[in-house]
Amino acid sequence: MAFKDAGGQRGLYLAEVGRAERISPHIIRVTIKGDDLRRLPRRGYDHWFRLFLPRDEGEIDFTALPKQFGMTGYLKFKASGLADRLAVRNYTVRQHRPEAGEVDIDFVSHGDAGIGGVWAGRAQPGDPVALIDQGCGFDPIPDTSFYLLAGDESAQSAILGILRDLPRAARGLALLELPELADAQQADAPEGIDLRWISRADPQATPGAAALAALKEFQPEYPATLTAYLAGEQTLATEGRSHLLSAGVPKSRIAFVGYWRAGVAHP
Ligand SMILES: Cc1cc2nc3c(=O)[nH]c(=O)nc-3n(C[C@H](O)[C@H](O)[C@H](O)COP(=O)(O)OP(=O)(O)OC[C@H]3O[C@@H](n4cnc5c(N)ncnc54)[C@H](O)[C@@H]3O)c2cc1C
């Protein structure tokens, strides 16, 4: 299964920070708000978007951004000069309250490197942002007999969103690795899904390695009707997929995406 997105239905949404709060040792929740967010489709599951964050001080004309971020939109963005002043990072909707025009985003706070995590740590009410809707990557294939979800802390919003929106009769296993259990959030999962929180015992270990080890222990009973979603550090996603392929799960039923790569910054 390709990691899906909303195709032609994407759009540009302008917003500003409403509030920002560290909700657990490694997670900062930033609530963005604005009238545009009242019309953002409520897609549920792992609904994600491209977030434009200022690299510097001063006024930025966010309305000059493209409405889509395909090849043409990306080239327009590069040519406009805005790329020097705005960074683009991908994030997931944690909660969307269209009636209030609000979206919560949970940022992993991963130190001083990069833009997104640092920006969240400094976010103040009124700070402007813009996002381009990208839709959902997860596809709940109707004949699924078993869901297998695996991720690290960057995928907590995606996996909890998928668990929240799956049919209540769904069965499966969710492996969610976190730096520590204090980062775990309340889950609204179907009863038939075994949600296992995995605490990273070694703080120096690459995020996702422990979830990958647990995933490699798993052998599906009915691989032909298993649907998988693997997200987080690149190695978890790619090696997790290889394991499931060798266990007989069809390619078309595995959505996998390296959300980030250890030691590699986005431009
Ligand atoms: C579809 C999608 C949805 C996503 N949703 C979320 C989300 O809801 N919340 C979220 O926090 N992230 C999410 N991510 C991941 C996020 O886009 C990346 O972590 C991104 O690299 C963060 O940008 P940055 O500017 O903080 O760091 P970068 O500039 O990209 O990287 C700087 C350094 O930090 C390291 N780094 C980056 N991310 C992490 C991390 N999570 N843990 C440890 N080290 C890291 C890099 O390896 C690099 O060395 C999502 C990614 C995708 C593709």
Side-chain angles (χ1 to χ4, degrees):
M1 175 197 332
F3 191 72
K4 290 201 324 173
D5 73 22
Q9 296 166 46
R10 304 168 201 163
L12 176 68
Y13 299 80
L14 307 189
E16 63 178 42
V17 173
R19 52 191 180 274
E21 181 190 5
R22 185 175 289 271
I23 58 165
S24 70
H26 299 86
I27 305 285
I28 298 168
R29 177 163 296 164
V30 179
T31 300
I32 57 170
K33 61 172 192 173
D35 280 342
D36 272 11
L37 300 179
R38 296 177 195 273
R39 65 176 177 84
L40 176 71
R42 196 184 203 155
R43 302 185 191 280
Y45 294 108
D46 65 330
H47 186 184
W48 67 287
F49 50 85
R50 302 211 191 265
L51 184 65
F52 294 83
L53 300 169
R55 293 181 191 270
D56 57 32
E57 304 281 315
E59 286 285 299
I60 293 179
D61 181 9
F62 285 94
T63 60
L65 283 166
K67 304 238 169 331
Q68 297 198 7
F69 212 67
M71 188 49 83
T72 317
Y74 175 72
L75 291 175
K76 268 194 206 155
F77 174 61
K78 289 301 259 186
S80 68
L82 280 171
D84 297 332
R85 302 201 51 209
L86 288 173
V88 195
R89 294 292 187 269
N90 304 316
Y91 286 94
T92 307
V93 172
R94 179 65 185 91
Q95 293 290 347
H96 180 199
R97 293 177 292 281
E99 58 301 336
E102 289 186 345
V103 168
D104 296 335
I105 312 168
D106 284 0
F107 290 78
V108 175
S109 169
H110 58 86
D112 297 336
I115 304 246
V118 173
W119 176 86
R122 295 188 185 142
Q124 294 293 327
D127 287 353
V129 293
L131 61 90
I132 292 183
D133 183 14
Q134 293 295 132
C136 293
F138 176 75
D139 183 5
I141 305 175
D143 71 353
T144 301
S145 61
F146 195 92
Y147 290 96
L148 192 273
L149 316 172
D152 65 16
E153 59 268 35
S154 64
Q156 179 164 213
S157 291
I159 290 183
L160 294 186
I162 291 169
L163 292 174
R164 177 195 61 214
D165 293 333
L166 275 175
R168 293 299 91 181
R171 291 184 57 251
L173 171 66
L175 302 167
L176 199 33
E177 177 185 328
L178 300 173
E180 51 183 297
L181 290 182
D183 287 306
Q185 297 177 15
Q186 183 88 31
D188 171 16
E191 248 178 48
I193 303 247
D194 176 8
L195 169 58
R196 292 189 204 158
W197 300 101
I198 301 171
S199 175
R200 192 171 304 133
D202 173 5
Q204 303 307 322
T206 305
L212 179 60
L215 174 55
K216 286 182 172 172
E217 306 259 293
F218 169 79
Q219 287 299 331
E221 207 176 342
Y222 303 107
T225 50
L226 183 140
T227 293
Y229 182 91
L230 314 173
E233 205 285 324
Q234 174 95 2
T235 308
L236 165 60
T238 54
E239 287 194 18
R241 176 176 184 259
S242 303
H243 169 71
L244 293 178
L245 288 176
S246 50
V249 179
K251 238 187 222 172
S252 60
R253 303 187 72 103
I254 308 171
F256 73 111
V257 57
Y259 272 11
W260 63 282
R261 283 179 67 188
V264 180
H266 279 87

